[in-house]
Amino acid sequence: MQVFLKVWRQADAKSEGQFVTYTVENVTEDMSFFEMLDMLNNQLVLKGKEPIAFDHDCREGICGTCGLFINGRAHGPLRGITTCQLHMRSFDDGANIVVEPWRAEAFPVIKDLIVDRTAFDRIISAGGYISVNTGGVPDANTIPVPKPKADEAFDAATCIGCGACVATCKNSSAMLFVAAKVSHLALLPQGQVERKQRALNLVAAMDMEGFGACTNTGACEIECPKEISIVHIARLNREFLKASLL
Amino acid sequence: MVLDAKIPGGPLAEKWTQHRFDLKLVNPANKRKYNIIIVGTGLAGASAAASLAELGYNVDAFSYHESPRRAHSIAAQGGINAAKNYPNDGDSIFRLFYDTIKGGDYRSREANVYRLAEVSNAIIDQCVAQGVPFAREYGGLLDNRSFGGAQVSRTFYARGQTGQQLLLGAYSAFARQMKAGKVRFHPRHEMLDLVLVDGHAKGIITRNLINGEIRSYAADAVILASGGYGNVFFLSTNAMASNATAIWRAYKKGAYFANPCFTQIHPTCIPLSSEHQSKLTLMSESLRNDGRVWVPKKKGDSRAPNDIPEEERDYYLERIYPSFGNLVPRDVASRRAKEMCDTGHGVGPTGLAVYLDFEDVIGRKGKQWVSDKYGNLFDMYQQITGENPYEVPMRIYPAVHYTMGGLWVDYNLMSTVPGLFVLGEANFSDHGANRLGASALMQGLADGYFIIPYTIGDYLAKHPHGKTDTNQESFKTTTREVEEKLNQLLAVDGSQTVDDIHKELGRILWEYVGMARNREGLEKALKLIPQLRETFWKEVKVPGTAKELNPELEKAGRVADFLELGELMARDALHREESCGGHFREEYQTEENEALRDDEKFAYVAAWEFQGTGEPAKLHKEVLIFENVELTTRSYK
Amino acid sequence: MNWFFRFMNSSVGKKIIMATTGLLLCSFLIIHLFGNLFLYGGPELFNTYVERLASIKPLIRVIEVILALIFLFHIINSLWLTLSNRKANPVKYEVNRAQDNSSFFSRYMGITGSIVFIFLAVHLSTFWYRFQIDHDGGQFYRIVTGDAVGFNNPYITGLYILAMILLGFHLRHGFQSAFQTFGLRYNKYGKLIEAIAVLFWFAIPLGFVLIPIYFGLLKGGF
């Protein structure tokens, strides 16, 4: 099959970008979306042109490095997957495919389809942890955790930090990302000690990084490759409200 | 140079305790005067960075990723072992030690492995305190499972995402120290060389991957935690960017490389579908608990699997190993699959796959039961292949998964270069010739949380701090070398892409230095690899410049190193005239086609010293002494 | 008071203010609709009802001021949020299939709210204004049904119907969203909240819309 790509190209953070179109031939449906881009890049290199820069690494949906906005959807048209898990069989022969980087003020473009998501690291470093040093902790089984709580905490903790929630949000809000961390730790007994301060600090850090506010459209949970629910956003709101007013 | 592993004296169980007492300490007030460089921020690197920063040292941490959370440790699925004996099924530190030594086919150091088993329990405590959401039982206590054929349930897990949860735990501790200003994180910075001052590791040269800036960083010690080198094969379950550059350039600066030929092949991966495939995806080994492996009895049988009647199927693992059946260890299952395909029984479009069939268990226990247990794996398989494994048997094939070899380190995790420490998959220390399931996470965190914080102090306490700065001559020389190498790569301007050559290297290694090796093939590889390296330096085409974000240039540098490492792997495999663990030499097998070890001649660690590119490396032997275990031969018949 | 300003300035705090003021305005809708129902009782009943309200004018004034403040808060806060959200997302996608992941109602709160606001301005400058000073000696019913600003005027009727439909759209998302913002959306009362939400986005706007339909289209006979 062949596909027609319209890809955002931008030399670096300071340059103006534009869309460039490419025709990719001999695409097979077993190829992943990235293997199709690999093939195109290989051809571009041999022609002496600059290949398309995009972020990717594990190619099995867990590292959170990849993230493209494909035909108007974060990580492409399917649910519950990252871009690297998207295969060409999801597209028709002759399909037009528009490929864009994540768009958000807090995620500036570095080059082509690569954006800078270090804002997420700064949010986590503002308090997305339990402050224990290595060593001197109690035996693991002295802290029982009810299984349903542990499971729910796990659901939140599966966040891979890819930024699809921000990319798809009309306000570029990072609420789902922040909520996943706050919720994960608020559900566990280990997280109780710093519970209030954590909610306050993470929301403050999120606001400082220039992410927008949540309008509760729910787009983030649809596009989240780990299908993290906005139930966790509700919990973050509650945590924040309690921490602020009580 | 005689390899001194610095193994402490005394009884096995007391070595580490005694050693910790014997190690020199750095005065608490002085710790903040020491700077430590850490390259790589996966499980080992992030846990080390956090722990050292908590002690008061200043840490500069480097990663080619944008965040520590991207490291490939995140992809580990199964779990992490510890000798807690929570299930009351007879586990102990000694048993974990024994299983690990035996699993490694007696090619690892007793003292190291015992220490690993000893600190394993503290890792679980630490992770739980950090909020890692391990699986739990209804009573609220931690759940354990048996993994990879272990006789006891000692594996702690977080669904199929244990690596992710442990890495995020280490990352959170790391992030906390970032906030405290004790860890300075340098994202998207790739280490391109090690700097020695008076023979000691005192700094690194990095390239900022965003703008190409080359910079020197000086410190009082350097830690490499840069992971394994499985990507030398091009196709592996490793992440695309995983590479050997940090350890390889340290090797070229004098760190010995130990057991490079010990690679682990995982039997249950999704097979190759086309030449464009960029990586292989692993599916949990647990699938073999209920799936049955088979191939058609007839060679080249191209019928659809469901059209092949029962009597024309060869359930070869059940046939050859009646008692273990489909649950034979990784290396055995992998080798048998390759053998079936080599003899023309392979299935699928490439003929490089065998079936893993769930028809039987679906019939016995129902689709729902299978879906509850393996649903996510089945979904993943369908996502990638477009086939429904509830209806059509899965196709699987082995893939390179983990590298047991790595830089040689002593008991203190210090390499042959003083001041250069190596942690996690990047070192060779604990897994011998074969790694047990759920032990990689254990080792990475043991090194980072509980070993390096003690052992590095001993080195630092003996050396005055702050004696190095980047104005010293060796930093300038090394910087020039790095820049020259980058320019050389760009100057070739040939007609083949980096990936083309990398794929060719992968084909050579998979064919001759893969699952089963022989003298003839290895000698051939030793001819082909240098030729390919020559082709690379004549024909590679790297577009763009060194002063910008240039992924092709990054790859080119890494592949240039793989082209040298591949040769060393073949050389090591050729010299080791025995079969052990992941290293199977066809000439050395029992009548039952099992690995035939030669403990008389090869019970040693092969540590290779760099002699110049293209020159054969020099072999040093660290003889392994077994005082606490008896060397036995495994049998799965 | 430091904590208070931090709260008010934070994105979540602002959302909580939106939710609180929104729900307060919702409760006002119930009272307003209750009053409107007197219209069906004919001129005498309706005029008497309005007279009664006039007799407790000081109290009404206080309530009106509070109501106005709530509206103002709701509106200014929304403008503030919208501006900062725009700043957070300055570059739009070439292709964005938002319809695949979110509802129309949730994405156009600003538009539906703005049109409702325009309606509110018209509504206050006509009915409310006349009720205060220009009611021809208590002929409130006639103002509502008359052809100057009342439902005998097809433009007024049209505007009211449109505005009430959009109010329904606004509340379709807004009511449940408020509970989400308070962190109360998903729990054992989730179903109850959904049921009450139907009252607010469907039943109450329907009640409002029926008035212009009845008095404008059916009874007015233009």
Side-chain angles (χ1 to χ4, degrees):
Chain A
M1 61 194 261
Q2 69 172 2
V3 292
F4 304 101
L5 298 183
K6 184 175 173 188
V7 183
W8 182 258
R9 302 297 309 261
Q10 183 174 335
D12 53 47
K14 291 185 194 112
S15 306
E16 290 273 308
Q18 79 279 330
F19 282 100
V20 178
T21 56
Y22 302 93
T23 303
V24 194
E25 277 157 12
N26 300 320
V27 175
T28 64
E29 57 177 27
D30 281 339
M31 271 183 194
S32 73
F33 193 83
F34 284 156
E35 283 159 7
M36 182 271 296
L37 286 181
D38 288 343
M39 189 168 78
L40 171 62
N41 276 346
N42 223 32
Q43 291 161 4
L44 290 175
V45 170
L46 290 176
K47 282 187 210 151
K49 291 183 181 162
E50 211 180 338
I52 302 163
F54 61 95
D55 253 340
H56 63 100
D57 197 29
C58 77
R59 296 208 177 184
E60 52 186 86
I62 192 72
C63 73
T65 310
C66 68
L68 299 179
F69 212 76
I70 298 170
N71 278 350
R73 299 286 301 276
H75 292 305
L78 304 184
R79 281 187 75 161
I81 59 164
T82 57
T83 309
C84 64
Q85 293 172 296
L86 180 65
H87 283 70
M88 293 311 291
R89 70 179 72 88
S90 296
F91 299 91
D92 296 327
D93 191 9
N96 289 300
I97 306 173
V98 181
V99 188
E100 301 174 71
W102 283 173
R103 293 292 190 193
E105 184 66 9
F107 288 169
V109 172
I110 293 174
K111 181 174 187 169
D112 293 347
L113 302 170
I114 299 178
V115 299
D116 179 0
R117 286 167 293 191
T118 47
F120 274 4
D121 282 344
R122 290 188 291 273
I123 292 177
I124 295 296
S125 70
Y129 41 73
I130 291 165
S131 300
V132 288
N133 284 353
T134 303
V137 298
D139 181 90
N141 259 353
T142 53
I143 313 168
V145 183
K147 185 170 162 51
K149 288 248 177 192
D151 286 346
E152 206 182 347
F154 181 89
D155 289 340
T158 56
C159 169
I160 58 174
C162 65
C165 48
V166 173
T168 199
C169 177
K170 72 189 191 73
N171 305 337
S172 298
S173 169
M175 279 292 273
L176 192 62
F177 171 79
V178 173
K181 189 42 69 191
V182 169
S183 190
H184 159 209
L185 297 176
L187 280 160
L188 296 173
Q190 303 94 299
Q192 299 311 306
V193 178
E194 297 163 286
R195 187 171 173 175
K196 278 189 173 184
Q197 208 50 47
R198 183 180 304 117
L200 296 175
N201 289 349
L202 290 197
V203 168
M206 169 181 83
D207 290 347
M208 206 153 77
E209 293 292 339
F211 293 100
C214 178
T215 302
N216 301 326
T217 69
C220 51
E221 74 174 353
I222 304 290
E223 303 297 11
C224 173
K226 297 296 151 193
E227 302 184 305
I228 295 172
S229 162
I230 56 171
V231 168
H232 299 292
I233 295 185
R235 184 172 289 109
L236 167 61
N237 288 332
R238 205 158 64 228
E239 292 292 319
F240 182 80
L241 194 56
K242 273 197 273 185
S244 294
L245 303 184
L246 301 183
Chain B
M1 179 177 162
V2 180
L3 283 175
D4 179 5
K6 301 208 175 73
I7 298 168
L12 186 63
E14 283 157 38
K15 282 182 196 287
W16 179 231
T17 310
Q18 183 60 41
H19 188 61
R20 277 188 297 170
F21 177 73
D22 294 339
L23 289 170
K24 289 194 103 176
L25 298 172
V26 177
N27 181 310
N30 280 340
K31 285 196 175 104
R32 66 185 168 79
K33 295 174 185 160
Y34 283 97
N35 292 312
I36 298 169
I37 282 173
I38 300 183
V39 179
T41 50
L43 272 186
S47 58
S51 303
L52 292 169
E54 285 160 8
L55 289 174
Y57 298 111
N58 303 310
V59 176
D60 276 288
F62 297 83
S63 171
Y64 55 72
H65 283 120
E66 63 169 357
S67 164
R69 65 185 302 154
R70 308 279 182 233
H72 197 54
S73 312
I74 207 155
Q77 299 173 355
I80 176 167
N81 287 332
K84 284 280 193 187
N85 193 30
Y86 283 157
N88 197 30
D89 57 359
D91 200 8
S92 64
I93 289 169
F94 193 85
R95 189 179 293 280
L96 176 55
F97 152 74
Y98 181 81
D99 289 354
T100 309
I101 280 271
K102 183 178 176 217
D105 229 357
Y106 306 100
R107 291 296 173 263
S108 44
R109 231 182 250 153
E110 275 191 346
N112 281 58
V113 177
Y114 192 87
R115 176 177 63 185
L116 175 66
E118 202 177 338
V119 303
S120 66
N121 292 340
I123 297 172
I124 302 303
D125 299 340
Q126 187 65 34
C127 294
V128 166
Q130 285 171 344
V132 170
F134 281 121
R136 289 182 182 265
E137 291 170 348
Y138 281 97
L141 301 183
L142 291 159
D143 189 23
N144 287 116
R145 65 182 173 195
S146 156
F147 193 79
Q151 305 275 345
V152 290
S153 295
R154 63 159 73 100
T155 304
F156 294 79
Y157 65 101
R159 283 185 217 161
Q161 287 155 250
T162 318
Q164 181 199 25
Q165 294 310 315
L166 295 179
L167 179 63
L168 293 181
Y171 161 69
S172 71
F174 181 97
R176 177 169 160 249
Q177 294 306 315
M178 268 169 75
K179 182 75 176 175
K182 295 304 287 181
V183 171
R184 263 180 305 179
F185 180 51
H186 306 267
R188 295 191 198 262
H189 276 63
E190 181 166 19
M191 167 185 159
L192 290 184
D193 216 335
L194 179 71
V195 181
L196 305 187
V197 177
D198 303 328
H200 285 246
K202 290 294 177 194
I204 59 171
I205 311 293
T206 64
R207 179 167 179 269
N208 178 334
L209 300 183
I210 295 176
N211 59 20
E213 186 197 0
I214 304 291
R215 243 194 93 173
S216 309
Y217 292 87
D220 297 296
V222 176
I223 295 174
L224 301 185
S226 53
Y229 50 90
N231 266 353
V232 68
F233 288 87
F234 185 74
L235 283 172
S236 80
T237 65
N238 282 10
M240 300 302 287
S242 298
N243 68 77
T245 289
I247 55 171
W248 192 252
R249 301 205 179 168
Y251 163 72
K252 291 170 90 167
K253 281 279 156 77
Y256 293 1
F257 205 119
N259 299 335
C261 79
F262 287 167
T263 47
Q264 185 171 73
I265 314 272
H266 198 285
T268 49
C269 298
I270 298 176
L272 202 66
S273 66
S274 78
E275 55 171 321
H276 296 291
Q277 194 146 335
S278 55
K279 82 154 272 168
L280 297 168
T281 305
L282 181 146
M283 287 183 300
S284 170
E285 228 174 339
S286 61
L287 286 171
R288 285 196 287 142
N289 288 333
D290 290 293
R292 298 177 71 197
V293 177
W294 65 275
V295 291
K297 280 184 181 162
K298 201 170 86 187
K299 287 186 184 181
D301 193 335
S302 59
R303 285 176 291 175
N306 291 339
D307 295 339
I308 301 176
E310 195 63 26
E311 62 276 11
E312 291 179 43
R313 300 176 175 189
D314 179 11
Y315 294 89
Y316 59 89
L317 288 178
E318 296 171 22
R319 174 171 58 80
I320 306 172
Y321 307 99
S323 59
F324 272 78
N326 296 297
L327 289 173
V328 290
R330 288 177 177 180
D331 55 327
V332 178
S334 299
R335 227 164 34 238
R336 290 296 181 189
K338 181 181 191 294
E339 205 176 280
M340 288 298 144
C341 297
D342 288 349
T343 53
H345 296 277
V347 300
T350 56
L352 290 175
V354 299
Y355 290 124
L356 179 63
D357 199 336
F358 290 85
E359 193 186 352
D360 200 51
V361 69
I362 290 172
R364 262 187 299 127
K365 300 199 168 166
K367 192 176 159 185
Q368 189 58 47
W369 186 88
V370 173
S371 158
D372 286 346
K373 204 164 171 195
Y374 302 114
N376 58 341
L377 293 168
F378 276 44
D379 291 348
M380 181 172 84
Y381 181 85
Q382 183 159 14
Q383 181 64 46
I384 292 172
T385 63
E387 288 178 1
N388 180 355
Y390 292 102
E391 281 154 20
V392 187
M394 282 186 180
R395 282 177 288 116
I396 57 165
Y397 200 62
V400 175
H401 173 55
Y402 187 88
T403 49
M404 281 75 70
L407 291 185
W408 184 90
V409 289
D410 63 17
Y411 189 71
N412 293 324
L413 303 182
M414 189 162 84
S415 71
T416 50
V417 174
L420 178 71
F421 294 80
V422 191
L423 318 181
E425 193 179 347
N427 75 25
F428 88 106
S429 71
D430 295 345
H431 305 298
N434 182 41
R435 179 179 64 75
L436 289 184
S439 282
L441 299 177
M442 173 171 69
Q443 186 224 336
L445 290 181
D447 288 0
Y449 283 135
F450 295 113
I451 298 171
I452 194 70
Y454 296 97
T455 59
I456 204 170
D458 186 63
Y459 171 80
L460 294 174
K462 291 171 184 162
H463 297 88
H465 52 78
K467 290 286 175 208
T468 318
D469 73 75
T470 54
N471 289 321
Q472 281 163 318
E473 196 47 40
S474 53
F475 281 90
K476 290 178 184 161
T477 324
T478 317
T479 303
R480 271 196 301 278
E481 285 164 11
V482 164
E483 284 169 344
E484 266 166 38
K485 182 153 188 186
L486 290 171
N487 290 335
Q488 274 171 19
L489 288 167
L490 289 162
V492 180
D493 198 27
S495 60
Q496 292 187 39
T497 64
V498 176
D499 278 358
D500 290 341
I501 295 169
H502 193 180
K503 281 180 187 177
E504 183 54 32
L505 173 67
R507 271 192 287 270
I508 295 170
L509 286 171
W510 182 248
E511 187 62 29
Y512 304 115
V513 199
M515 264 182 284
R517 303 144 175 191
N518 59 50
R519 169 169 291 279
E520 197 190 342
L522 289 165
E523 281 172 348
K524 194 162 179 191
L526 283 173
K527 281 206 187 79
L528 290 174
I529 297 169
Q531 281 169 14
L532 186 64
R533 197 161 59 226
E534 217 171 289
T535 309
F536 177 86
W537 286 104
K538 272 190 199 146
E539 285 298 327
V540 76
K541 186 170 181 78
V542 182
T545 70
K547 295 285 170 211
E548 59 181 335
L549 193 154
N550 189 342
E552 289 294 313
L553 180 62
E554 294 164 26
K555 281 195 286 185
R558 295 166 193 166
V559 171
D561 292 336
F562 282 146
L563 283 162
E564 297 174 12
L565 167 61
E567 186 181 344
L568 185 67
M569 289 168 70
R571 194 169 303 285
D572 185 42
L574 180 65
H575 113 281
R576 191 168 277 280
E577 293 178 329
E578 65 161 350
S579 294
C580 59
H583 169 64
F584 189 80
R585 280 286 296 268
E586 286 167 350
E587 305 95 312
Y588 309 99
Q589 50 181 311
T590 64
E591 283 173 8
E592 296 159 328
N593 305 102
E594 296 302 342
L596 187 62
R597 252 184 10 240
D598 185 345
D599 294 330
E600 287 277 298
K601 280 197 201 143
F602 290 99
Y604 64 76
V605 176
W608 299 89
E609 182 186 2
F610 182 67
Q611 301 289 308
T613 306
E615 298 296 318
K618 188 174 167 197
L619 175 66
H620 299 266
K621 296 177 185 176
E622 181 204 335
V623 175
L624 294 167
I625 297 158
F626 296 94
E627 294 169 328
N628 300 277
V629 295
E630 201 184 319
L631 276 59
T632 58
T633 306
R634 57 181 198 173
S635 171
Y636 295 96
K637 287 262 168 172
Chain C
M1 283 309 272
N2 216 348
W3 66 268
F4 182 74
F5 290 110
R6 262 211 310 273
F7 173 75
M8 296 282 284
N9 263 316
S10 72
S11 58
V12 181
K14 280 182 220 157
K15 288 299 299 179
I16 290 170
I17 292 163
M18 283 309 284
T20 314
T21 51
L23 287 184
L24 289 172
L25 293 173
C26 280
S27 63
F28 165 68
L29 286 178
I30 303 177
I31 298 164
H32 194 313
L33 181 64
F34 175 76
N36 289 9
L37 293 178
F38 284 97
L39 278 169
Y40 292 107
E44 205 169 315
L45 185 67
F46 185 72
N47 290 344
T48 317
Y49 163 69
V50 180
E51 292 288 356
R52 285 268 168 82
L53 287 182
S55 69
I56 46 166
K57 206 150 220 174
L59 180 64
I60 295 291
R61 281 285 174 265
V62 171
I63 292 172
E64 278 175 344
V65 169
I66 293 172
L67 199 58
L69 283 176
I70 295 173
F71 260 115
L72 223 58
F73 237 48
H74 194 72
I75 292 163
I76 291 173
N77 202 43
S78 75
L79 288 175
W80 195 3
L81 273 169
T82 307
L83 285 179
S84 65
N85 289 342
R86 287 252 169 96
K87 222 168 80 187
N89 185 16
V91 184
K92 299 296 171 209
Y93 291 105
E94 177 84 353
V95 181
N96 191 352
R97 293 189 57 83
Q99 67 271 32
D100 291 352
N101 56 38
S102 53
S103 74
F104 164 85
F105 311 108
S106 68
R107 278 178 282 124
Y108 293 98
M109 290 296 278
I111 306 230
T112 51
S114 301
I115 296 173
V116 170
F117 176 70
I118 293 169
F119 157 78
L120 184 69
V122 173
H123 183 58
L124 288 178
S125 66
T126 54
F127 284 8
W128 183 80
Y129 178 75
R130 292 223 176 171
F131 273 38
Q132 306 302 317
I133 54 147
D134 189 14
H135 46 68
D136 205 6
Q139 295 302 320
F140 303 108
Y141 185 85
R142 198 185 293 162
I143 296 171
V144 175
T145 56
D147 45 33
V149 298
F151 295 129
N152 220 15
N153 179 337
Y155 294 108
I156 291 287
T157 303
L159 175 68
Y160 272 65
I161 293 172
L162 176 74
M164 288 307 112
I165 291 173
L166 290 178
L167 177 66
F169 284 6
H170 198 73
L171 294 182
R172 173 78 179 85
H173 175 70
F175 187 82
Q176 299 189 36
S177 176
F179 284 88
Q180 166 76 353
T181 300
F182 290 137
L184 303 172
R185 176 70 187 82
Y186 298 95
N187 51 36
K188 54 189 165 188
Y189 306 110
K191 286 265 182 285
L192 181 70
I193 292 170
E194 259 171 59
I196 298 173
V198 176
L199 187 73
F200 279 93
W201 70 261
F202 185 73
I204 290 180
L206 181 72
F208 279 114
V209 125
L210 285 177
I211 290 165
I213 289 178
Y214 180 75
F215 292 97
L217 301 182
L218 302 176
K219 219 172 161 216
F222 53 80

